[in-house]
Amino acid sequence: TGRDPLQIAIVRDYLVAQNLFGIPRKGEIDYSKELELDLTTIKPSVSGPKRPQDRLDLPQIKFQFNHLLISPVSEGGYGKTAENRYPHVCVHSMGTFPLLPHETGGIEEINDSQKHRVGWSEVEMVSNRPFTKVISTPGYSESTACDVILTHGSVVIAAITSCTNTSNPSVMLAAGLLAKKAVEKGLMVNPMIKTSLAPGSRVVTDYLEKTGLQKYLNTLGFELVGYGCTTCIGNSGPLDERIEEAIKDHDLITASVLSGNRNFEARIHGSVKANFLMSPPLVVAFALAGRVDIDLENEPIGYNQEGDAVYLHQIWPTNKEIEEALQIGINPQMFKNRYSNFMDDNPVWKNIQSSTGDLYQWDTTSTYIQQPPYFESFSMKTTKRSPLTGLRPLALFGDSVTTDHISPAGAFKANSPAGQYLISLGIKPEDFNSYGSRRGNHHVMMRGTFANVRIRNKICEGQEGGFTKLMPEGQLMTIFDACEIYKKREVPLIIFAGQDYGMGSSRDWAAKGSALLGVKVVVAKSFERIHRSNLIGMGVLPLQFAEGQSIESLNIKGDEIFSIEGIDESLSPQQKVILLIRSPDGNEKKVNLISRLDSPLEIEYYEHGGILPYVLRQLLEKQ
């Protein structure tokens, strides 16, 4: 990678001195635990469709997707019934329309002619599985051409992204080699699939060009879109309007495949409900297949112009081919050239005018950066904590609520609270950008807190998205609008959740947004470590259910009023506190909770109202 020899020597000498250089032989170092791994058991894998830790062996993806398709939503599935399990929607120049179901159900494949019969419509393969042509359909003219037929499991986004995998030349070159072999076999990717290539470094472009592999990726639609975070952080951009229409109108469970490391719900795209992480060459493979409900070890990945089946093993690059490409494509001078002149590679960025001086000059008209309210009413003395009484529940969440659920980073729509706010300032929807790009404007980020389109608040009885019920009226509204009303009424808020609350990316706005909305307490069965710390850093008290307790066991409905007893005086790490639950009928009950202020320093942060006022007081005291 072109690093200076002196730097390499220093690192090597340090590792040798620490007995960390190389791989110690058995007996040369003592480990607390030893594990054995049979290398022959390792198989290609993907993860998904909702969490990066849900690993699947490659052949399992078809079974798992079909299983989740009919599993209840409460069990992490998609809740499809036998009646709506096999929809087929034609997307073409006139819009979209469903293909009528065949009396025997499903699709009947006629391998010798490479035709499918779907109901009373005959579909002919043009060159590869995603390309289809409707020969006759009632109500439509003969030979109506479908750009694509979508169903559950159809791939609509395929992205080789900058994070994780693109720092590995072997897998990037493998993707290029697979593309080359696919093109030579006559395979193509349906252009209705949104494909992209976003490396993390310009060096990737250099070696793909030098090996001649970029042109094959281009042929399949994996053209360079930029460098850095794109699809994996929600910057995939919009889908074709007809694709969006088909997904929405027919409630299709479509898929994205990407080489990133996050696939939480609605992170990749708000309309795409199944998202799978995989290596760059597998991204290309699934884009060619056009669907995820496929066993790539045994089923054809597609068909060539002559109608011959092509299998993945026929186009998968060998280790020798990858090694040869590495030898041809990469040398240290590439890294030296790129990183010694990286500022000159982006003149647009270099020419951006920036302000100078010790103090930032806030622009009240900016929709990107606004002065946050964290230090309003700041004083050098810590104020006495307000009693945690009269708390109304803002949300009742289940397990595995991620920071993407709490504070999404991707795109948002015009009808969302954030969208309505920007429209009121004269910003057009096409200029919204994303939550992540507007993270310097708390007015946008507050409206985006709990605004994930896939979050499920049990108070709302099945309503998906960032909604709650304003209490005591029981009126359904967006979480932001409810919080504005609670703020005017001076009503503090509490959130209840299940296991692993705040898991996923360590996003500071998940805690900032919660605090700015008026949340004072979060009670969960367990917390992700960093999010728990971030909540404390924003002055929000994390409490944990006792063993065996949950929202369900306590029969919490969302119309109760809560109080926290036992923290009015001194605090100690992980002390027991009491949750007082008052039902609308006046009945009361008390249960023990555990404070997740785990250390004296965390208690000090909480006493100061968060880490920001704590640090500011420390700085001012030293002057």
Side-chain angles (χ1 to χ4, degrees):
T1 54
R3 284 175 169 79
D4 184 87
L6 178 60
Q7 182 188 12
I8 295 172
I10 291 172
V11 173
R12 186 187 191 281
D13 291 346
Y14 172 82
L15 293 174
V16 169
Q18 295 290 339
N19 292 322
L20 293 173
F21 185 77
I23 302 175
R25 297 181 182 182
K26 190 173 180 65
E28 291 182 347
I29 189 169
D30 291 329
Y31 294 100
S32 57
K33 184 183 293 185
E34 291 188 7
L35 302 175
E36 289 190 2
L37 173 64
D38 182 352
L39 297 179
T40 64
T41 64
I42 296 176
K43 296 180 180 180
S45 64
V46 302
S47 78
K50 298 181 181 181
R51 304 188 307 175
Q53 65 264 43
D54 294 334
R55 179 192 173 280
L56 297 166
D57 286 340
L58 183 58
Q60 288 182 312
I61 187 170
K62 177 178 180 178
F63 169 81
Q64 181 67 359
F65 179 81
N66 287 330
H67 170 70
L68 290 175
L69 199 59
I70 58 174
S71 296
V73 174
S74 60
E75 297 176 10
Y78 298 107
K80 297 301 177 183
T81 62
E83 290 75 25
N84 59 17
R85 189 175 176 183
Y86 298 108
H88 290 84
V89 181
C90 176
V91 178
H92 66 116
S93 57
M94 294 188 293
T96 68
F97 63 87
L99 300 177
L100 299 177
H102 189 259
E103 62 263 22
T104 59
I107 297 178
E108 180 185 347
E109 296 194 14
I110 308 171
N111 292 327
D112 57 347
S113 62
Q114 296 308 319
K115 293 182 179 179
H116 294 175
R117 182 167 295 281
V118 187
W120 299 303
S121 306
E122 199 171 86
V123 180
E124 180 182 358
M125 306 307 296
V126 175
S127 63
N128 190 20
R129 190 178 187 92
F131 289 89
T132 53
K133 183 178 181 183
V134 175
I135 305 302
S136 61
T137 300
Y140 291 87
S141 61
E142 278 256 330
S143 300
T144 300
C146 287
D147 294 315
V148 66
I149 291 180
L150 292 180
T151 186
H152 299 318
S154 293
V155 173
V156 294
I157 293 177
I160 301 175
T161 59
S162 64
C163 47
T164 310
N165 284 297
T166 53
S167 63
N168 182 342
S170 295
V171 292
M172 293 301 291
L173 290 169
L177 288 166
L178 189 141
K180 177 177 183 291
K181 291 187 171 189
V183 171
E184 290 171 348
K185 287 281 189 182
L187 301 183
M188 291 294 291
V189 173
N190 191 314
M192 295 295 284
I193 297 175
K194 188 157 193 173
T195 48
S196 61
L197 169 63
S201 168
R202 290 176 182 265
V203 175
V204 178
T205 297
D206 292 339
Y207 63 67
L208 286 175
E209 291 285 359
K210 188 173 181 180
T211 54
L213 296 176
Q214 184 63 58
K215 64 180 180 182
Y216 296 104
L217 288 166
N218 291 347
T219 300
L220 297 183
F222 290 94
E223 296 176 309
L224 178 71
V225 296
Y227 300 92
C229 294
T230 52
T231 301
C232 46
I233 194 60
N235 294 333
S236 60
L239 298 173
D240 185 287
E241 290 182 2
R242 295 167 295 165
I243 297 288
E244 289 257 21
E245 177 187 338
I247 294 172
K248 180 180 178 181
D249 290 352
H250 303 281
D251 194 24
L252 296 177
I253 310 300
T254 56
S256 75
V257 292
L258 64 152
S259 63
N261 54 19
R262 296 288 188 274
N263 60 340
F264 301 118
E265 288 187 296
R267 179 181 175 118
I268 308 305
H269 192 284
S271 297
V272 183
K273 295 185 179 180
N275 305 282
F276 292 91
L277 308 177
M278 56 191 65
S279 67
L282 280 179
V283 170
V284 178
F286 277 97
L288 288 163
R291 65 191 218 274
V292 293
D293 58 336
I294 182 173
D295 178 0
L296 286 178
E297 284 193 354
N298 299 297
E299 297 178 44
I301 194 172
Y303 299 87
N304 62 20
Q305 296 285 348
E306 290 72 37
D308 298 324
V310 179
Y311 292 84
L312 180 60
H313 67 83
Q314 294 176 287
I315 60 174
W316 193 264
T318 65
N319 288 340
K320 181 181 179 183
E321 289 169 331
I322 295 172
E323 183 60 33
E324 288 174 351
L326 280 168
Q327 295 300 322
I328 295 170
I330 301 181
N331 61 68
Q333 194 60 40
M334 284 182 171
F335 295 89
K336 292 178 180 178
N337 293 342
R338 284 298 183 188
Y339 292 114
S340 61
N341 302 301
F342 72 93
M343 287 299 294
D344 297 329
D345 280 343
N346 197 338
V348 176
W349 181 266
K350 187 177 180 180
N351 292 333
I352 294 175
Q353 297 296 314
S354 60
S355 59
T356 58
D358 292 337
L359 295 178
Y360 183 78
Q361 301 301 313
W362 300 101
D363 179 2
T364 57
T365 64
S366 173
T367 58
Y368 277 93
I369 301 177
Q370 285 289 312
Q371 183 173 5
Y374 305 133
F375 298 106
E376 290 180 357
S377 304
F378 174 82
S379 68
M380 283 299 294
K381 292 184 178 180
T382 58
T383 58
K384 186 177 180 181
R385 290 192 311 276
S386 300
L388 295 173
T389 59
L391 296 155
R392 283 285 186 183
L394 182 63
L396 309 179
F397 294 130
D399 296 337
S400 299
V401 170
T402 70
T403 50
D404 276 273
H405 286 121
I406 303 169
S407 182
F412 49 93
K413 296 187 176 182
N415 62 356
S416 67
Q420 290 293 296
Y421 165 74
L422 290 177
I423 287 173
S424 73
L425 299 178
I427 306 299
K428 297 178 181 178
E430 56 266 31
D431 297 324
F432 281 177
N433 215 318
S434 64
Y435 286 121
S437 67
R438 293 188 181 272
R439 63 190 302 124
N441 186 344
H442 63 281
H443 298 296
V444 173
M445 300 306 289
M446 286 171 61
R447 287 165 171 82
T449 305
F450 301 111
N452 185 301
V453 296
R454 296 286 166 258
I455 199 168
R456 285 170 286 276
N457 183 355
K458 296 179 181 181
I459 292 177
C460 299
E461 300 168 355
Q463 172 75 46
E464 198 173 47
F467 297 93
T468 190
K469 284 185 178 179
L470 180 72
M471 296 298 177
E473 295 89 340
Q475 181 183 354
L476 184 71
M477 60 179 63
T478 68
I479 282 179
F480 176 77
D481 289 340
C483 288
E484 288 290 279
I485 296 173
Y486 283 132
K487 183 178 180 180
K488 290 178 182 178
R489 295 177 180 177
E490 298 184 346
V491 174
L493 302 173
I494 187 171
I495 286 174
F496 292 91
Q499 296 277 8
D500 300 324
Y501 183 73
M503 62 176 289
S505 306
S506 56
R507 189 164 300 155
D508 57 346
W509 263 109
K512 288 178 181 176
S514 299
L516 292 178
L517 287 179
V519 175
K520 302 299 182 183
V521 181
V522 177
V523 183
K525 293 175 76 172
S526 65
F527 291 89
E528 192 277 336
R529 176 181 58 87
I530 298 176
H531 184 61
R532 182 192 63 81
S533 297
N534 286 349
L535 287 172
I536 297 167
M538 291 306 301
V540 179
L541 178 64
L543 300 176
Q544 188 166 313
F545 285 116
E547 186 69 29
Q549 286 180 349
S550 66
I551 296 170
E552 292 75 22
S553 70
L554 298 176
N555 198 31
I556 297 173
K557 301 297 183 184
D559 55 359
E560 303 90 346
I561 296 177
F562 300 86
S563 297
I564 307 297
E565 300 176 353
I567 65 164
D568 296 334
E569 302 301 328
S570 60
L571 289 171
S572 59
Q574 295 194 350
Q575 74 179 61
K576 289 184 179 180
V577 300
I578 296 172
L579 175 69
L580 172 65
I581 307 171
R582 183 180 298 112
S583 300
D585 59 8
N587 288 330
E588 292 185 358
K589 61 180 174 181
K590 294 184 177 182
V591 296
N592 288 327
L593 300 177
I594 302 167
S595 166
R596 289 306 311 274
L597 300 173
D598 290 356
S599 68
L601 184 58
E602 288 183 345
I603 291 173
E604 200 167 357
Y605 289 159
Y606 183 70
E607 295 276 16
H608 278 262
I611 194 171
L612 294 174
Y614 171 83
V615 170
L616 183 56
R617 290 184 181 110
Q618 297 288 316
L619 291 172
L620 293 176
E621 284 178 357
K622 293 178 181 178
Q623 292 184 354

